[in-house]
Amino acid sequence: THDGESEGKAENRPYVIVSKDGALVPEAKAVIAFVKEQNLTLETGHSTPPEQLMIVREAKAQGVAHVIVTHEGNIPGPMTTAQLKDAIAGGAFIEICTTGITAANAKTKIDRIRELGPEHVIISSDVGLVGAPLHPDSLAFFAKQLRAAGFTDRELDLMYKDNPATALGLPLLPRGTK
């Protein structure tokens, strides 16, 4: 989903160009307009960090209600804390994926969540490929890591239930409802 120039490398699979010369291409803006028109949730995809910010800013400018910065830190690479906070200020949730999380490396993701605040984070799995853990196993494993790190049930509910529902425009369940 990027032109490769931002990272000094080209994609080795089909992709679409999102930006050129530091600005979103008209086709990207048209997709964002369609998302707004249909009241859909917009995710930033495999765009570079600068492109993700351009997408979030354009979505806000066009009045898109639901935006997610897709799998932060995984593809094509991590955003800085300042970039993530800029995306949050633009109304985006930050998706943290459980892909590749182990007991040894969970602290990096946990520290990132603490920096951003659970109220701005969505936990998802982004697993399911051959050889990867099953979705429920991956999500449960990271929930245990978060609990061990001191996150409360309320914070876990935010990241695993409420924020994803809000990002999809769904009503929240009353507390105590399963």
Side-chain angles (χ1 to χ4, degrees):
T1 58
H2 61 85
D3 60 15
E5 294 174 18
S6 301
E7 297 194 1
K9 65 180 182 180
E11 280 281 352
N12 62 0
R13 60 185 176 174
Y15 62 92
V16 296
I17 294 173
V18 173
S19 70
K20 187 167 178 67
D21 300 325
L24 291 177
V25 297
E27 295 85 355
K29 290 181 178 184
V31 168
I32 293 169
F34 179 80
V35 168
K36 162 67 173 143
E37 176 187 306
Q38 299 297 316
N39 194 30
L40 301 172
T41 299
L42 177 68
E43 294 199 37
T44 58
H46 290 191
S47 304
T48 64
E51 288 171 334
Q52 290 175 333
L53 283 176
M54 285 187 263
I55 291 166
V56 169
R57 288 178 186 135
E58 182 65 23
K60 182 176 183 178
Q62 289 196 33
V64 174
H66 310 293
V67 181
I68 300 170
V69 171
T70 311
H71 46 56
E72 191 288 315
N74 291 356
I75 297 171
M79 295 174 82
T80 66
T81 300
Q83 287 172 321
L84 290 167
K85 288 184 177 181
D86 192 2
I88 289 167
F93 282 106
I94 309 302
E95 179 189 38
I96 303 286
C97 294
T98 60
T99 307
I101 290 182
T102 65
N105 69 14
K107 185 179 182 322
T108 302
K109 298 274 186 185
I110 290 169
D111 289 346
R112 178 65 86 182
I113 293 167
R114 283 198 173 110
E115 283 181 301
L116 302 175
E119 65 275 15
H120 303 294
V121 171
I122 291 173
I123 305 294
S124 68
S125 68
D126 201 30
V127 296
L129 299 173
V130 174
L134 298 173
H135 295 282
D137 295 340
S138 182
L139 292 167
F141 174 80
F142 192 51
K144 288 177 185 175
Q145 299 297 311
L146 289 166
R147 264 189 216 287
F151 284 86
T152 66
D153 286 346
R154 177 69 189 123
E155 290 169 325
L156 290 174
D157 282 348
L158 274 173
M159 295 184 289
Y160 278 80
K161 299 175 188 175
D162 295 353
N163 294 345
T166 298
L168 293 173
L170 300 173
L172 299 181
L173 293 175
R175 288 290 141 226
T177 304
K178 296 198 179 213

